[in-house]
Each structure stands twice: as structure tokens, then as C-alpha cells.
Amino acid sequence: MGDPVGLSEAREELVWTFREAPDRHAAQPVFYQMPAECLPYYVDAGFTLSKLGEEARVELGAFLLEGSKHAELRQTHRRAQREGATFSVLP
């Protein structure tokens, strides 16, 4: 949760240390809720950035926009269509 704790001058080294330790044990390190100004350290160390909550897997064959639960999504979909947005599923 957050950046490694320590002096800001040591942050880059701490990120690398955290990166290397799990590699020795075939583990996968994860950082969560990182401040934007620190992201270059993680990118330089080879981490892949993912924003949680912005990725989803949906069974498209069974998904419908019907019902009150999807009213806001239907509005967004219609607005996107009016504005010329397109959507494609690529293998």
C-alpha cells in the first residue's frame, strides 16, 4: 500500500530492492495506490501499470443493457453512439 517507506532520496533504490527480492523467489511483487510522481521509478524497474477498477471481463454472449441496474450504462452507450464512438471485439 503506497510507496516504500524511507527517505525520498532512497526511493528509487527501495523500488529496485523490492523488485529484485521477489524475483529470487519466483514471486510477483505488487504496489498499490502509488502517487503519480513516483510512477517513473516503477516503470524504470520494469513494472507494468494497471489501474484497478478500470478493467473488467464480461461474458458478452450473456450481457444485456436491460433493467434498471444498467440504466446509467445505457445512457452512456447512447451518448457514445450519438458522438460517433465505435466498438470492436478483436481476437
Side-chain angles (χ1 to χ4, degrees), residues 10-22 24:
R11 184 173 287 141
E12 185 173 9
E13 184 179 340
L14 289 169
V15 169
W16 274 101
T17 300
F18 189 80
R19 173 65 186 199
E20 293 165 352
R24 290 191 299 270

Side-chain angles (χ1 to χ4, degrees), residues 15-16 19 23 29 31 39-49:
V15 169
W16 274 101
R19 173 65 186 199
D23 285 350
F31 287 93
L39 295 181
Y41 298 126
Y42 303 103
V43 171
D44 289 347
F47 286 97
T48 301
L49 305 178

Side-chain angles (χ1 to χ4, degrees), residues 34-63:
M34 309 317 301
E37 66 270 10
C38 298
L39 295 181
Y41 298 126
Y42 303 103
V43 171
D44 289 347
F47 286 97
T48 301
L49 305 178
S50 295
K51 290 182 89 174
L52 293 177
E54 292 190 10
E55 180 179 320
R57 294 179 186 220
V58 177
E59 179 59 50
L60 295 177
F63 183 77

Side-chain angles (χ1 to χ4, degrees), residues 58 62-76:
V58 177
F63 183 77
L64 300 172
L65 288 174
E66 298 171 1
S68 59
K69 156 175 144 174
H70 295 296
E72 188 175 332
L73 188 54
R74 273 194 310 277
Q75 269 187 330
T76 302

